[in-house]
Amino acid sequence: MPAPNVASVRAPRAIRILLSAASLLVLVLMIGLGAFSLQRLGDVNLVADEIRNQWLQDIRLIGDLNNFMSDYRTAEGTHLLSNTSSELAASERDIVELDAQVIRAQLSYEALSNEDAERQVYDEFSREWAQYKVIAAQVLALSHAGAKSDAIVMYMTTSRRAFDKASDALGRLTDQTVVRAREASKRAAGTYLQDRRLIVAAMVVAT
């Protein structure tokens, strides 16, 4: 019986070693590509989180503030039109509830992380709104006491000017927030396009 050829024995062993090395290389490349892709997706998610957790929350709360403020002003006017004690009491309950809703929205906004530019405009709004409420309380006191004519004059002059100042400050805050949200949206789109190109390039290199 002829002896086995040493070269023929070593050849399959060498092929198995090469195949194992090739398989290991493919595995390493796949793991590396997956880790790189996850890292790039993390960048996109980071910008998306900024939009979702900050700017969308800011816009929602500012919208709530605007709605509750307008309702508060309307309730102040409704109080002037109330004649019976039950109507006055119902109007005053509405004002108390609306005031609580504004305060809750303010506290929620203040709990968010905002930059100095937005914080300064918000602080201005907060001061103007506090001054308006003082004047509105005087209007309500005159109305409740039956001095409707004096209450109406104050409602149409001093109270309206104070409300307009608070509303204007909130409007500027809205404009700033919308601009910043759009900038963040553009950054998210740019980050997505850039990372998609990088992932495709990494796939080509791995292939």
Side-chain angles (χ1 to χ4, degrees):
M1 182 176 180
N5 191 327
V6 176
S8 64
V9 173
R10 291 178 178 175
R13 184 181 302 173
I15 292 175
R16 286 196 298 270
I17 293 174
L18 289 175
L19 289 175
S20 299
S23 299
L24 180 60
L25 177 60
V26 170
L27 179 61
V28 171
L29 285 174
M30 293 298 294
I31 294 174
L33 179 60
F36 178 78
S37 301
L38 289 175
Q39 182 183 7
R40 295 297 91 194
L41 290 175
D43 293 340
V44 176
N45 186 63
L46 186 64
V47 182
D49 280 343
E50 178 186 352
I51 297 173
R52 181 173 57 252
N53 297 327
Q54 179 174 354
W55 301 116
L56 290 181
Q57 292 293 328
D58 282 353
I59 292 174
R60 180 183 65 81
L61 291 172
I62 291 173
D64 289 344
L65 283 172
N66 184 68
N67 292 333
F68 296 147
M69 285 171 53
S70 298
D71 292 343
Y72 191 104
R73 176 68 174 167
T74 301
E76 182 187 1
T78 301
H79 195 279
L80 298 177
L81 299 176
S82 301
N83 295 317
T84 65
S85 58
S86 59
E87 291 176 344
L88 290 172
S91 178
E92 290 169 0
R93 284 195 300 270
D94 290 341
I95 290 173
V96 170
E97 176 59 27
L98 288 168
D99 183 40
Q101 290 177 329
V102 172
I103 291 174
R104 283 195 295 269
Q106 285 183 285
L107 293 176
S108 297
Y109 183 88
E110 292 168 4
L112 297 175
S113 176
N114 290 291
E115 297 185 359
D116 291 340
E118 286 78 23
R119 183 64 62 179
Q120 290 176 0
V121 180
Y122 171 79
D123 290 341
E124 179 184 353
F125 155 74
S126 185
R127 290 192 300 269
E128 297 294 348
W129 176 250
Q131 293 176 4
Y132 160 73
K133 287 203 300 182
V134 172
I135 298 172
Q138 297 172 358
V139 172
L140 297 176
L142 289 172
S143 176
H144 191 84
K148 295 291 186 179
S149 58
D150 293 337
I152 292 173
V153 170
M154 182 174 287
Y155 176 81
M156 297 299 296
T157 55
T158 310
S159 178
R160 183 175 65 181
R161 286 193 295 268
F163 180 84
D164 288 344
K165 288 181 179 179
S167 182
D168 290 343
L170 189 63
R172 291 197 304 274
L173 180 60
T174 302
D175 294 339
Q176 285 188 9
T177 303
V178 169
V179 169
R180 298 298 298 276
R182 287 175 178 170
E183 292 174 352
S185 180
K186 291 180 180 178
R187 287 200 308 274
T191 301
Y192 168 76
L193 291 175
Q194 178 183 358
D195 289 347
R196 186 177 66 175
R197 296 190 189 102
L198 290 174
I199 292 174
V200 171
M203 292 173 62
V204 172
V205 172
T207 302

